[in-house]
C-alpha cells in the first residue's frame, strides 16, 4: 500500500517567495539599527574624550615633587553629588574615572585599559621581581631531586636535597715497610685466586666455563696497590687458558631453527660451552683493545686505580697477548679483528711495540699453509699503506715474505696416506666375495682421495694467487706514486724476490721504470743493486721470451762495482754475487766473451780491497765464470790476444779491451794474510780445475 498522504498543505512557490522577501527586509533593518547605535556610542565616547582633554589643558600643572605621593581619592569624591548616589554606584564611577583615558588613569600600572583580569593574576610587579637577590657565595653541591609538592596558590613546588657525602674516616698512616707488606699479602692472595680459577677451567672447561667470566672480571682490579700487576697477570693467564681450551675449528652461531629444536643433554652442554667460550673470548679481546686505545689516547679512567704512567707497560702486555693469539689461533673466531688491531701497530713510533707486531706477522705468514690468514693480513697492510699516503715504516713491507707454493709437495703432505692390502694378503685373509667387495671399496677410496686433493690444490692456488696480486699492487703503487719514499728499498727487494711471478704484461713497463730509477741517480748503492737484480730476475723467468738487451744494466753494474764498501762487512756483496749469477751464469747464451772477460778482470781488481769473507766470495764467482766461459783462461796468459790496450777507466765492458790484460791480482793474493784467500788464489792461478784440490777449495770457501 502507498504511504498516507500528509494533511498539511505544502506552501506554494509564490508564498515562499513572499516570505523570503520579508526576512530579507527584517535583516536589513536590524543591520541599520545596529549601525546607528554603534555610531551613537562612538559619538558619546568622542565627546567625553574632548571634554577630558579640555579640562586637562585648563588645569594648572603642579611641580614634579608634588606627584611623588598619589592624590587622595577624597578630593575627587567631594566634587560629586553624594546625596544623589548609592555607595555601589559611587565605587563604580570612581573606577570609571580612573580608566577614562591615559591622561586620568594611574600611570603606575602598565596593563591595558580595558584588559580583563584573569583568575589568580597578581597586581603590580611579578612575584620573582619581589624576591631578594643574593650572590652565590657557596660552591654548588650535588642535589637529589625529590617528588614535587602541589600548592593551590603557587602550583607545583620542586623539592630537592643535598647528596650526602661519604666522609672516609682517616686511618692511621702506614710506614713504607707496612705498605710493602700489605701489597705483598694482597698480591699473593690475587695470585692464588688466579691460579685456582685457571686450574679449574683447564681441568674441566665444559663444566667450569662460568669461572672464565670470574677470571676475566679480575681485569678490572681497582685496588691501587696491586692493580697494574694483577691486570698483567690476568691478561697473560687468560691468553694461556684460551690457547689451551679453544677447539681446532671455528664456532658458528646457531640458527633460530637449531635453537628451537630439542637435542641431547650432551649436545646442549657442548652448545652452552661453545657459546660461553666465544662470548668470553670476545670480551677479552675488547678489553685488550681498549687498554691499547686508552694508552694511545692518554685517557684516565674514573677509578684512578691505574696511573697514566703505568698504562704503557699495561698496553705492551696487552699487545703481546694479542700477537700471541694472532699466531696461535689463526683458525678461530675474531681472527680478522685481531689482524685489524695488530697491523696498524706495526707502524707504531714505539720501536718495541712495532718490532713485536712485525715479528708476529712474519710468523703468521711463515706458518700459514692454507692462505686465509695471509690473504687477510696482506689486504689490511695494503689499506694501511694507502691510507697513510705511503708514510709507513719499511718493516711493514719487509714482513711480506711470501714464498712460492709448491702445490704438489703440500698436497702430498696434507693428503692422508692410506695403505691398501696387496694381493697375497687378500688371498690369505679374505674369501672370494670379501676380496671382491674390498677391491670395490679401495677403488672408491682412491677416487675420494684424488677429488679431495684436487679441491685443496685449486683452493690453495687461488688464495696464493690473490695474495700475490695484492702484494704486487702495493709495490706498483709505490713505484708509480712514491718513488722518493723510504719504502722504495723494501719494494725493490720484494720485487727482486717475486719478479719471476709477475705477469708478462707488466714486464715492459716495469723495466722502463727500473731503468729510469737507475739513471735518475737518486738511489743508494743497495737500491740500485736491487733494481738490477729485479730486472734480470724478470728476464730470466717468463721474460726470457722477450727480445730485450739490458745493456744499460750491465754497464751500470760494471761501473759501480768499484764503489762497493770494502771497509766493513755488509750484505751488499751478497747482492752483487746474486746479480752476477743471474746476469752472466744464467744468461750465458746472451753474454759475449768480451763482457765476461771484463767482469772477471774487474772482480779480480775488487778482491784486492775487500775483507777476506768478501774476497773469497768474489774469487768463487770468478771460478764459476771461468768454468762457464772456458775461453776466459786467456787472462792467465801474459800474451796479448789482439790489437788495442786495456782501458780500466772505461765504464763500457764491451769496449775496454779486456783480452789484452792479465789477472796479475792473483799473484798478489797469493801473499794474502788469510790462508783461505791464499789457497783460492793459488787454485785460480792453476786454471781453476774442477777436480782434485778444486773441490776442497770450494768447500773451504763455503765454510
Amino acid at each position: 500500500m502507498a504511504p498516507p498522504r500528509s494533511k498539511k498543505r505544502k506552501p506554494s512557490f509564490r508564498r515562499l517567495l513572499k516570505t523570503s522577501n520579508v526576512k530579507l527586509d527584517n535583516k536589513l533593518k536590524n543591520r541599520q539599527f545596529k549601525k546607528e547605535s554603534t555610531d551613537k556610542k562612538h559619538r558619546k565616547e568622542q565627546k567625553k574624550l574632548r571634554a577630558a582633554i579640555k579640562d586637562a589643558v585648563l588645569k594648572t600643572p603642579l611641580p614634579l615633587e608634588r606627584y611623588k605621593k598619589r592624590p587622595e581619592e577624597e578630593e575627587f569624591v567631594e566634587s560629586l553629588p553624594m546625596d544623589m548616589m548609592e555607595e555601589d554606584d559611587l565605587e563604580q564611577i570612581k573606577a570609571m574615572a580612573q580608566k577614562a583615558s591615559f591622561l586620568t588613569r594611574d600611570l603606575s600600572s602598565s596593563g591595558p585599559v580595558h584588559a580583563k583580569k584573569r583568575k589568580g593574576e597578581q597586581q603590580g610587579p611579578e612575584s620573582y621581581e619581589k624576591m631578594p637577590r643574593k650572590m652565590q657565595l657557596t660552591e654548588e653541591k650535588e642535589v637529589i631531586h625529590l617528588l614535587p609538592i602541589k600548592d593551590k596558590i603557587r602550583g607545583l613546588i620542586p623539592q630537592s636535597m643535598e647528596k650526602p657525602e661519604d666522609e672516609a674516616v682517616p686511618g692511621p698512616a702506614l710506614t713504607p715497610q707496612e705498605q710493602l707488606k700489605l701489597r705483598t699479602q694482597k698480591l699473593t692472595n690475587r695470585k692464588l685466586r688466579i691460579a685456582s680459577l685457571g686450574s679449574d677451567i683447564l681441568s674441566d672447561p665444559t663444566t667450569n666455563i662460568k669461572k672464565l667470566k670470574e677470571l676475566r672480571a679480575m681485569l678490572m682490579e681497582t685496588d691501587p696497590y696491586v692493580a697494574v700487576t694483577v691486570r698483567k697477570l690476568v691478561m697473560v693467564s687468560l691468553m694461556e687458558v684460551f690457547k689451551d681450551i679453544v677447539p681446532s675449528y671455528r664456532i658458528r652461531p646457531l640458527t633460530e631453527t637449531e635453537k628451537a629444536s630439542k637435542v641431547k643433554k650432551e649436545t646442549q652442554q657442548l652448545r652452552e660451552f661453545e657459546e660461553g667460550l666465544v662470548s668470553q673470548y670476545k670480551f677479552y679481546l675488547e678489553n685488550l683493545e681498549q687498554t691499547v686505545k686508552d694508552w694511545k689516547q692518554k685517557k684516565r679512567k674514573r677509578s684512578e686505580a691505574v696511573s697514566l704512567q703505568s698504562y704503557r707497560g699495561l698496553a705492551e702486555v696487552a699487545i703481546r697477548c694479542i700477537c700471541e693469539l694472532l699466531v696461535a689461533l689463526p683458525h678461530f673466531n675474531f681472527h680478522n679483528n685481531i689482524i685489524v688491531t695488530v697491523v696498524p701497530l706495526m707502524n707504531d713510533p714505539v720501536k718495541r711495540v712495532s718490532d713485536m707486531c712485525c715479528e708476529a706477522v712474519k710468523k703468521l705468514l711463515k706458518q700459514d699453509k692454507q692462505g686465509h690468514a695471509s690473504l687477510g693480513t696482506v689486504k689490511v697492510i695494503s689499506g694501511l699503506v694507502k691510507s697513510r699516503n705511503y708514510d709507513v715504516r719499511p718493516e711493514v713491507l719487509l714482513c711480506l715474505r711470501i714464498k712460492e707454493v709448491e702445490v704438489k709437495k703440500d698436497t702430498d703432505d696434507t693428503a692422508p696416506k692410506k695403505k691398501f692390502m696387496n694381493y697375497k694378503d687378500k688371498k690369505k685373509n679374505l674369501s672370494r666375495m670379501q676380496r671382491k667387495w674390498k677391491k670395490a671399496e679401495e677403488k672408491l677410496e682412491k677416487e675420494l682421495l684424488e677429488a679431495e686433493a684436487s679441491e685443496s690444490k685449486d683452493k690453495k692456488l687461488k688464495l696464493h694467487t690473490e695474495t700475490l696480486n695484492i702484494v704486487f699492487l702495493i709495490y706498483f703503487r709505490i713505484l708509480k706514486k712514491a718513488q722518493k719514499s723510504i719504502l722504495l728499498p723494501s719494494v725493490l727487494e720484494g720485487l727482486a724476490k717475486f719478479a719471476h711471478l709477475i705477469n708478462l704484461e707488466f714486464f715492459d713497463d716495469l723495466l722502463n721504470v727500473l731503468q729510469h730509477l737507475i739513471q735518475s741517480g737518486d738511489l743508494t748503492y743497495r737500491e740500485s743493486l736491487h733494481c738490477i737484480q729485479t730486472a734480470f730476475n724478470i728476464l730470466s723467468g717468463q721474460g726470457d721470451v722477450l727480445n730485450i738487451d739490458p745493456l744499460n744494466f750491465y754497464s751500470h753494474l760494471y761501473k759501480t762495482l768499484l764503489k762497493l764498501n770494502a771497509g766493513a762487512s755488509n750484505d751488499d756483496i751478497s747482492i752483487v754475487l746474486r746479480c752476477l749469477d743471474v746476469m752472466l751464469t744464467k744468461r750465458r747464451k746472451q753474454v759475449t766473451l768480451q763482457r765476461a772477460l771484463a767482469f772477471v778482470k774487474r772482480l779480480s781488481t775488487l778482491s784486492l780491497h775487500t775483507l777476506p769473507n768478501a774476497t773469497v766470495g768474489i774469487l768463487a764467482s770468478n771460478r764459476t765464470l771461468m768454468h762457464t766461459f772456458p775461453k776466459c783462461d786467456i787472462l792467465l796468459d801474459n800474451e796479448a790476444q789482439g790489437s788495442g790496450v786495456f782501458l780500466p777507466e772505461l765504464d763500457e765492458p764491451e769496449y775496454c779491451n779486456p783480452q789484452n790484460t792479465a789477472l796479475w791480482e792473483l799473484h798478489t793474493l797469493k801473499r794474502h794474510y788469510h790462508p783461505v784467500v791464499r789457497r783460492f788464489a793459488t787454485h785460480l792461478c792453476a786454471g781453476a780445475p774442477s777436480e782434485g784440490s778444486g773441490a776442497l777449495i770450494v768447500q773451504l770457501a763455503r765454510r
Side-chain angles (χ1 to χ4, degrees), residues 24-38:
L24 290 174
D25 293 336
N26 293 336
K27 287 183 179 181
L28 183 60
K29 289 179 182 179
N30 292 336
R31 192 179 296 114
Q32 291 176 355
F33 179 77
K34 287 181 180 179
K35 186 178 180 181
E36 290 175 359
S37 61
T38 304

Side-chain angles (χ1 to χ4, degrees), residues 246-421:
V246 161
S248 60
Y249 55 88
R250 184 182 183 88
I251 299 175
R252 64 172 181 83
L254 298 176
T255 61
E256 296 297 332
T257 306
E258 291 175 341
K259 291 180 181 179
S261 61
K262 293 184 179 181
V263 294
K264 295 181 180 180
K265 184 178 180 181
E266 294 80 5
T267 307
Q268 183 64 27
Q269 190 176 9
L270 179 60
R271 285 182 176 180
E272 292 177 357
F273 164 73
E274 290 179 346
E275 185 178 357
L277 177 63
V278 172
S279 176
Q280 295 303 319
Y281 187 61
K282 177 185 176 182
F283 291 142
Y284 172 61
L285 293 177
E286 288 177 351
N287 288 334
L288 296 181
E289 185 178 0
Q290 188 62 42
T291 303
V292 179
K293 285 183 179 179
D294 292 341
W295 170 55
K296 286 296 179 185
Q297 299 174 2
K298 301 186 183 307
K299 286 185 178 179
R300 184 183 291 275
K301 291 290 185 182
R302 293 181 181 178
S303 63
E304 300 290 338
V306 179
S307 63
L308 200 61
Q309 293 78 10
S310 303
Y311 254 102
R312 175 171 177 175
L314 201 62
E316 288 183 359
V317 175
I319 293 171
R320 183 174 295 278
C321 293
I322 295 175
C323 293
E324 288 286 338
L325 295 174
L326 175 72
V327 179
L329 305 175
H331 61 279
F332 197 58
N333 301 51
F334 310 113
H335 190 258
N336 291 333
N337 302 79
I338 299 176
I339 293 175
V340 173
T341 305
V342 172
V343 169
L345 294 175
M346 296 168 64
N347 193 41
D348 196 83
V350 181
K351 191 175 186 304
R352 186 174 179 181
V353 174
S354 176
D355 294 344
M356 197 188 309
C357 296
C358 290
E359 189 64 27
V361 173
K362 286 180 182 178
K363 289 182 180 178
L364 177 66
L365 297 177
K366 185 177 181 180
Q367 72 179 21
D368 183 29
K369 294 183 179 180
Q370 297 298 326
H372 294 282
S374 300
L375 180 59
T377 306
V378 170
K379 283 183 178 179
V380 179
I381 291 176
S382 175
L384 174 68
V385 173
K386 187 177 179 181
S387 62
R388 299 289 177 86
N389 198 17
Y390 312 104
D391 186 18
V392 297
R393 299 182 60 180
E395 289 80 4
V396 176
L397 293 186
L398 290 175
C399 294
L400 300 176
R401 290 292 178 264
I402 304 171
K403 58 184 178 180
E404 187 181 2
V405 186
E406 297 177 4
V407 182
K408 183 177 179 181
K409 181 179 178 182
D410 290 347
T411 304
D412 295 340
D413 293 340
T414 56
K417 296 182 180 180
K418 183 74 174 178
K419 292 184 178 180
F420 299 103
M421 297 176 64

